Amino acid sequence: MTLDTVYALATPMGQSALAVVRISGPQTHGAISQLTRREPPAPRRAVLRRLLEPQNDALIDEAVVTCFSGSSSYTGEDSAEISIHGSVAVLNILAEALEDLGLRLAKPGEFSRRALLNGRLDLARAEGVAELIAAETEAQRKHALSLLTGALADKVAVWRNELVSVLAILESAIDFVDEDLGEHWIEHAGTRADAFAKLLSDEETQADITEDLLAPSRIVLVGPPNSGKSSLLNALAQKDAAIVSDIPGTTRDVISSRVVVDGVAIDVVDTAGLRETSDSIEKIGVQRAQAELKRADLVIFLISDDTFAEAAELLKGGVPASEVFWTKSDTVSPNPEQLAALAPASVRSVSVFDGSARKAFREVARSLMQKRTTAISPIAGSQRRKRLLSEARELSSSAASLIKDNRIELAVEDLRSAANTLEALVGEIGSEDVLDEVFSRFCIGK
Ligand SMILES: Nc1nc2c(ncn2[C@@H]2O[C@H](COP(=O)(O)OP(=O)(O)OP(=O)(O)O)[C@@H](O)[C@H]2O)c(=O)[nH]1
Ligand SMILES: [Mg+2]
């Protein structure tokens, strides 16, 4: 039973056309009637009301108020949403008024935590809510939605059924253990337990691949000074993220910009032009560029006619160049000798002035993404889920070896623990630690 009634701003703080303040808990409807000096509106009906300060009758603002009863609210408690003008001053007065009425500010994720405690959400769906709010890309949105709509719960149900039927075979085989029939069934159960452990192990691999897909990949731009790295970054980011000039050695810091290709986030990283230099600041820049080469998922080496000699030196020195962009192609294209010197790298001629640079970048990014599979595992994105899956896999494979050794009772125990562990993936309740881990990722107001 939760007794506190809590409130929180559900929209970002600051100036905006509208802001939404959310209230949940037993005193919600009382607070609404005190604020409006009227009966609360019927549930799920948005009505315009004047909000008045509790101490005097001063007007706070006019607002659209919607009440929800515990039976049909997100949290499973009486709750309300107040849509008010998005003004910092108005929001501050409303917060003071709600505090005066005995409400307290909600903790991060507290609304969802209450929904979980009231059986409105399971843990996996709660995680989906947090991930959906945080999603910046199409891949992240799809992954969060699959959690939110119960993809993990469906998977766990299938896994659980398989474990239950292996358990049933083992338990009845125990009764016939001295007969041939028992041996045959035990062997069959052993094979299935083995296959099940393999299935969970495949899911772990899939989860790792999905995490790669969800995390932005890093494409690093390198090359000699003046080869057009910062110009390319700006063209891709569609803003002046980095200073561009015809003075070699302009960029010293590592500058990155998030670019989305086909719904997948990519961090494009501009670096200092690589060269020997006596300038101590530029030297640090070159070291940072070299460190970026090590972190890159893919490196694009930039080269232009006016920087060809320096670039050839760098390539001799072993700078990676699986992808080469010949820049400033609106002025000079590579000649056959230059192309021969760059072989076997595939060279794309690009210019930031005619859209070819963006097009070439998208092609390269797509080929990088194709190397990653598109199947999304609902396990990905949470240490908690990965830990439980790996525990269940270990228990299943230990059960399989125990069956081979004919230690059936111990195998049964392991399989039961595996089933419980898998159920905890979507668990309707969890220990306080687990709940803290899940809800620490939420923002206030959700
Ligand atoms: N014509 C033409 N000029 C370009 C193009 N891309 C870059 N430039 C010019 O090349 C010069 C160097 O460009 P930057 O983007 O600053 O080069 P950088 O590789 O970042 O140079 P550093 O930061 O010094 O390493 C500038 O004068 C740009 O305007 C292009 O596609 N076409
Ligand atoms: Mg630059």
Side-chain angles (χ1 to χ4, degrees), residues 226 228-231 242-245 249-252 270-273:
N226 252 3
K229 302 175 294 297
S230 302
S231 304
I243 299 172
V244 165
S245 87
T250 302
T251 306
R252 277 102 188 276
D270 177 26
T271 58

XYZ file of all heavy atoms in Angstrom, residues 226 228-231 242-245 249-252 270-273, ligand 2:
113
model
N 44.121 19.684 -44.037
C 43.519 20.329 -45.218
C 42.881 19.366 -46.206
O 42.545 19.764 -47.315
C 44.571 21.156 -45.974
C 44.311 22.639 -45.771
O 43.386 22.998 -45.034
N 45.085 23.492 -46.400
N 40.027 18.074 -45.926
C 38.576 18.286 -45.984
C 37.774 17.513 -44.946
O 36.565 17.328 -45.091
N 38.417 17.093 -43.855
C 37.728 16.309 -42.826
C 36.632 17.114 -42.140
O 35.492 16.663 -42.003
C 38.741 15.806 -41.772
C 39.849 14.952 -42.361
C 40.904 14.567 -41.344
C 41.721 15.740 -40.808
N 42.531 16.441 -41.829
N 36.994 18.324 -41.708
C 36.006 19.138 -40.995
C 34.867 19.553 -41.927
O 33.707 19.607 -41.518
C 36.669 20.379 -40.403
O 37.709 19.983 -39.533
N 35.189 19.794 -43.190
C 34.136 20.147 -44.147
C 33.156 18.994 -44.300
O 31.945 19.190 -44.357
C 34.738 20.467 -45.521
O 35.702 21.481 -45.406
N 32.509 22.104 -36.850
C 33.967 22.271 -36.756
C 34.413 23.458 -37.610
O 33.789 23.776 -38.617
C 34.653 20.999 -37.245
N 35.497 24.106 -37.197
C 36.032 25.234 -37.976
C 36.694 24.687 -39.239
O 37.451 23.712 -39.186
C 37.080 26.021 -37.156
C 36.439 26.587 -35.892
C 37.705 27.136 -38.005
C 37.444 27.215 -34.931
N 36.369 25.328 -40.367
C 36.970 24.959 -41.650
C 37.837 26.124 -42.099
O 37.406 27.273 -42.044
C 35.865 24.695 -42.699
C 36.453 24.681 -44.111
C 35.158 23.379 -42.396
N 39.083 25.861 -42.514
C 39.880 26.937 -43.096
C 40.910 26.316 -44.028
O 41.139 25.104 -43.996
C 40.586 27.743 -42.006
O 41.821 27.142 -41.688
N 46.177 22.308 -40.327
C 46.320 22.196 -38.870
C 45.257 22.975 -38.110
O 45.471 23.361 -36.959
N 44.112 23.204 -38.748
C 43.036 23.974 -38.093
C 42.430 23.194 -36.920
O 42.274 23.718 -35.830
C 41.927 24.298 -39.115
O 42.506 25.019 -40.191
C 40.815 25.114 -38.478
N 42.111 21.955 -37.170
C 41.430 21.166 -36.124
C 42.455 20.526 -35.201
O 43.420 19.916 -35.669
C 40.583 20.044 -36.768
O 39.708 20.639 -37.712
C 39.769 19.286 -35.723
N 42.234 20.706 -33.906
C 43.124 20.047 -32.933
C 42.346 19.102 -32.029
O 42.812 18.047 -31.652
C 43.826 21.093 -32.064
C 45.047 21.699 -32.680
C 44.780 23.077 -33.246
N 45.908 23.584 -34.009
C 46.958 24.190 -33.471
N 47.048 24.339 -32.162
N 47.925 24.642 -34.215
N 35.527 13.898 -36.289
C 36.529 14.670 -37.030
C 37.784 14.763 -36.162
O 37.692 14.899 -34.935
C 35.955 16.070 -37.305
C 36.953 16.974 -38.017
O 37.837 16.459 -38.723
O 36.822 18.222 -37.859
N 38.940 14.671 -36.789
C 40.185 14.655 -36.017
C 41.192 15.647 -36.594
O 41.011 16.147 -37.700
C 40.822 13.248 -36.066
O 41.056 12.916 -37.439
C 39.930 12.209 -35.436
N 42.262 15.869 -35.828
C 43.341 16.739 -36.310
C 44.035 16.063 -37.487
O 44.201 14.845 -37.492
C 44.347 16.969 -35.185
N 44.434 16.860 -38.473
C 45.176 16.310 -39.610
C 46.461 15.664 -39.113
O 47.151 16.202 -38.241
Mg 39.717 20.167 -39.655
